[in-house]
């Protein structure tokens, strides 16, 4: 999966009546494509992380809602019944995961286009269908732009520490945090990636390692707890992570563990960059403490791979994301450029 050759991990089904995703629950062992032709199937795919990563769930939500509109326009005669059913599906998709702003952003965009197309359900569905395809293509273009803007930050020989997976598997393009890595490699630079394993769902170990290995880019998986030591040893040149939401003040919400990495980076003088498309910037939310952090199931921590490692009855904390205060972020790379504090995202 070298830059430019990544598979599209979220797209329309071949018949145009649903959303097709690469089922990331099965990686790295199996490559399985999952076709969701009902809204509950799409909600389940998002909720269970078959498709994941903020940009990818935005694209998945958009295609799922547009596909629902196409199906509903055929089945439901009256504009009122169509609008009510599309609204219900939009609410279900929006609620699938609460933290990444890309999902409600994409759903709102689809609803606005549908409403703007007039009362005829078939016209609304056609407009939503075109909009979902455009949103997918824009995401791909934004990833490429992030790569171009971030290229200067990844010099020849760079050792990049990343957390979770913010690569091609998390977007419709070449990724966000990994986009500058792909761009640097395409420019002939040697880059080595240190991938935090990313407990409890192992997106670093399972997904980032798989994706980079496919691309032939050197990658080493590290226990999350090792990150600070690697920085103290001087074996990390930069930290490069993605985001699920970037607030107006520059606070970054991303996979739990990002904050600890940013703290360690600051302590050891390592720059910490966040890369995200403009669709992840939420200028309406003032700071990170105003963001709903998704709380996930106990068993993700207590029973990894089905093996019980926490005594019965002992509670577990499992927030999927954390907040990195803006003060610990060196700069934010978007498709519009490299932003440094003080931020102005309006
Ligand atoms: O729970 P996940 O796997 O969806 O979390 C993903 C992340 O935290 C990513 O870093 C973020 O969505 C950016 S993906 C380009």
């Amino acid at each position: 999966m070298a830059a430019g050759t990544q598979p599209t991990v979220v797209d329309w089904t071949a018949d145009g009546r649903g959303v097709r995703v690469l089922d990331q629950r099965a990686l790295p062992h199996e490559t399985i494509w999952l076709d969701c032709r009902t809204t509950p199937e799409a909600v389940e795919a998002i909720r269970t992380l078959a498709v994941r990563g903020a940009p990818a769930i935005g694209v998945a939500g958009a295609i799922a809602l547009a596909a629902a509109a196409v199906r509903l326009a055929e089945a439901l005669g009256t504009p009122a019944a169509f609008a009510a059913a599309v609204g219900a599906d939009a609410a279900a998709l929006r609620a699938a995961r609460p933290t990444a702003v890309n999902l409600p952003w994409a759903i709102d965009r689809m609803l606005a286009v549908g409403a703007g197309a007039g009362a005829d359900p078939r016209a609304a569905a056609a407009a939503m269908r075109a909009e979902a395809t455009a949103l997918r293509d824009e995401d791909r273009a934004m990833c490429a732009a992030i790569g171009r803007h971030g290229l200067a930050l990844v010099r020849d020989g760079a050792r990049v520490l990343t957390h979770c997976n913010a690569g091609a598997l998390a977007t419709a393009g070449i990724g966000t945090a990994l986009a500058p890595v792909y761009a640097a490699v395409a420019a002939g630079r040697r880059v080595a990636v240190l991938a935090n394993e990313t407990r409890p769902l192992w997106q670093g170990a399972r997904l980032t390692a798989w994706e980079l290995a496919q691309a032939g880019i050197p990658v080493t998986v590290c226990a999350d707890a090792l990150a600070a030591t690697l920085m103290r040893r001087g074996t990390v040149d930069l930290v490069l992570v993605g985001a699920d939401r970037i607030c107006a003040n520059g606070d970054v919400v991303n996979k739990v563990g990002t904050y600890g990495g940013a703290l360690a980076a600051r302590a050891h003088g390592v720059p910490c960059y966040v890369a995200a498309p403009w669709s992840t910037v939420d200028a309406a939310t003032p700071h990170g403490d105003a963001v709903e952090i998704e709380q996930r199931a106990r068993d993700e921590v207590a029973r990894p791979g089905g093996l019980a490692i926490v005594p019965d009855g002992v509670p577990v904390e499992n927030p999927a994301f954390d907040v990195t205060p803006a003060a610990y972020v060196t700069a934010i790379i978007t498709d519009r450029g490299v932003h440094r504090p003080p931020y102005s995202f309006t």
Side-chain angles (χ1 to χ4, degrees), residues 49 51-55 57 97 100 163-167 170-171 175-177 201 203 207 241-244 253-256 258 275 277 294 296 320-321:
L49 277 60
V51 57
R52 46 142 305 277
I57 64 174
R97 296 191 77 188
H163 190 67
C164 194
N165 171 265
T171 68
T176 62
L201 294 182
Q203 288 94 332
L207 306 178
V241 295
D244 287 82
V253 183
N254 191 47
K255 178 56 56 190
V256 66
T258 300
E294 178 182 1
R296 293 189 61 87
F321 303 98

Side-chain angles (χ1 to χ4, degrees), residues 37 41 46 68 83 109 141 155-156 172 182 210 277 297 341 346:
R37 289 195 186 81
E41 286 172 3
I46 295 170
R109 185 166 149 178
R155 61 163 180 77
D156 186 34
Y182 286 122
W210 182 81
T346 48

Side-chain angles (χ1 to χ4, degrees), residues 6-156:
Q6 283 79 4
T8 302
V9 302
V10 51
D11 207 344
W12 291 91
T13 55
D15 62 5
R17 299 179 68 80
V19 58
R20 160 169 273 215
V21 302
L22 177 60
D23 188 345
Q24 300 189 29
R25 298 168 301 191
L27 288 173
H29 304 298
E30 288 179 285
T31 306
I32 300 172
W33 295 89
L34 186 66
D35 285 352
C36 306
R37 289 195 186 81
T38 68
T39 296
E41 286 172 3
V43 169
E44 187 67 0
I46 295 170
R47 194 185 65 74
T48 60
L49 277 60
V51 57
R52 46 142 305 277
I57 64 174
V59 175
I63 294 177
L65 188 58
V70 168
R71 297 189 305 266
L72 289 165
E74 293 168 0
L76 295 170
T78 72
F82 171 79
V86 168
D89 281 9
L93 287 162
R94 181 197 295 272
R97 296 191 77 188
T99 302
V101 73
N102 307 62
L103 182 55
W105 168 84
I107 298 294
D108 286 346
R109 185 166 149 178
M110 300 304 297
L111 290 175
V113 163
D120 175 24
R122 286 182 189 266
M128 292 170 73
R129 184 183 171 77
E131 187 72 1
T133 300
L135 193 146
R136 177 204 65 194
D137 293 346
E138 281 171 26
D139 188 66
R140 189 177 298 154
M142 287 193 286
C143 291
I146 291 168
R148 289 194 296 275
H149 291 301
L151 176 60
L153 303 172
V154 184
R155 61 163 180 77
D156 186 34

